[in-house]
Amino acid sequence: MQDSTFVLKSMGCKSNQFEGALIIQHLVESGYSQVKNVIDAGYYILNSCSVTHKSDNETLYLLRNAKNTNPDVKTVITGCVAQIEKEKLLELPYIDYVFGNDDKFRISELLKSGKKSQITDLINKESFNYQVLGDTAKTRYSLKIQDGCNSRCAYCIIPFARGKSRSADSEFIVSQINNAVKKGFKEVVFTGIHIGQWGMENGRELTELLRKVEEETCIRRYRLGSLNPLEITGKLLNFLEKSDRFCPHFHLSLQSACNKTLKSMNRFYKTEDYLEQIEDIKSRFDGVFIGSDIIAGFAGESEEDFLETVDNLNKSKLSKIHTFPYSIRHGTPAEKMDGHIPEEIKQKRADIIKEISARKFKEFLCQNIGTVHEVLIEKHPDKYSGKLKGVSENYINVIIDEDTKNKSLYYNTLQKVHLDRISSGNFYGSFI
């Protein structure tokens, strides 16, 4: 084992996954070598997430376990937990280094300096941290276009971990997409903490950026990250509806389907408005996938409030619902609210919503049986069957149900695929 070897794990959102790839890139460029196992590593680096208590607890478990597995390994925590809990973390015997969200790309430099901690204050940071990700083993190219958040939802700690909304310049975004095209990428996924706020600080808006991307790049298709319902304007939908490069895949950050709960959360829209919006989206885009986030058991959510959420989710035309129990985050307004709900009730409510989600997702998949979609074939075959696999434009994972010779000829290509059948939760299709 050498001190120049490392293992890295990234938790949480797509932005964190993108940043994790950047950390690896910077470390390798600085002479470090990535290894697979903690026992062989000089450093164990955890790029953490702090969206819930569960993720906080998992962070500490992973770091403690790494030190138990290899007492000689140096543990490094970065990401949102590091940004928020820096003082507490340094007191723990199984953590050696704590580096903040804006410092994660300087880990090599910081380790050489001997500093145990470096946390750049992000609350008043004005500029976007420009980072260029080189080639990647992934088939779809992720591009971070925005960081931070200007919203102050009552439950959320992320603005304290990421700072205010800051956007990448549109020229930079276009240049990165053009570079990705030169490397053979067919799809780009726009990521950020709150991409609907892209350009807000400069009086610009997401539609303007997407128009520029379509005019000045040759990327075959692009996909958007999570959006607040208020940011899905008629102007944006009119543009996307006419696009032949936008993947019909929306993820709506809804958080509740009860107006009383939404108001308590500081979410400034109403359930009836976004239910109508979902209907509008469904009418504009054939086979569109519409996902969402819902928090179960927010402070003050009565049984009647929850039943209202259940009723509205049942009648919605959502394709899938990502839900999790509400988690108290220290320093947020919701922490001091009345009516906090026992964990077992929150979990029970989350389980009910998961059942709704499972049913809706099955319905969505069944609606696609017999349809034809453009599928981006992954660079690697399915690890269980060895067959080709890919992702359709409307976000369906498809296994190509035929024994294809010369599989490598199909890697990273867009193919028309007939969606034939569903078996054991997998969608199987065939080339046409």
Side-chain angles (χ1 to χ4, degrees), residues 248 281-289 364 368 373 393-394:
I281 292 171
K282 294 284 285 189
S283 70
R284 291 172 182 258
F285 303 92
D286 291 336
V288 62
F289 177 93
F364 169 76
N368 279 272
H373 288 276
E393 78 282 9
N394 64 337

Side-chain angles (χ1 to χ4, degrees), residues 246-373:
F246 166 67
C247 291
H249 166 202
F250 290 86
H251 190 91
L252 309 183
S253 179
L254 303 180
Q255 309 308 348
S256 178
C258 168
N259 286 340
K260 173 174 165 281
T261 304
L262 286 170
K263 185 176 181 180
S264 296
M265 289 177 164
N266 284 343
R267 305 287 290 184
F268 300 106
Y269 49 82
K270 293 185 176 181
T271 305
E272 56 267 30
D273 294 331
Y274 73 63
L275 288 176
E276 184 177 328
Q277 183 180 71
I278 292 170
E279 293 273 359
D280 185 25
I281 292 171
K282 294 284 285 189
S283 70
R284 291 172 182 258
F285 303 92
D286 291 336
V288 62
F289 177 93
I290 308 176
S292 67
D293 292 316
I294 294 289
I295 296 173
F298 184 65
E301 182 187 70
S302 67
E303 185 66 19
E304 290 75 19
D305 298 333
F306 175 67
L307 292 175
E308 182 179 331
T309 282
V310 167
D311 181 55
N312 283 322
L313 292 178
N314 273 321
K315 68 185 181 185
S316 76
K317 292 188 177 180
L318 291 169
S319 309
K320 197 173 186 179
I321 305 163
H322 175 233
T323 189
F324 47 92
Y326 166 65
S327 181
I328 299 174
R329 314 308 292 136
H330 178 64
T332 61
E335 179 189 22
K336 298 179 180 179
M337 287 183 177
D338 296 328
H340 284 281
I341 296 166
E343 292 298 326
E344 61 271 19
I345 295 178
K346 289 192 287 187
Q347 187 60 58
K348 182 179 178 181
R349 291 179 181 180
D351 290 342
I352 291 171
I353 296 175
K354 287 176 183 177
E355 290 175 3
I356 297 171
S357 176
R359 186 180 71 253
K360 286 189 168 293
F361 188 52
K362 183 177 181 181
E363 290 171 356
F364 169 76
L365 293 179
C366 289
Q367 289 165 3
N368 279 272
I369 294 174
T371 61
V372 174
H373 288 276

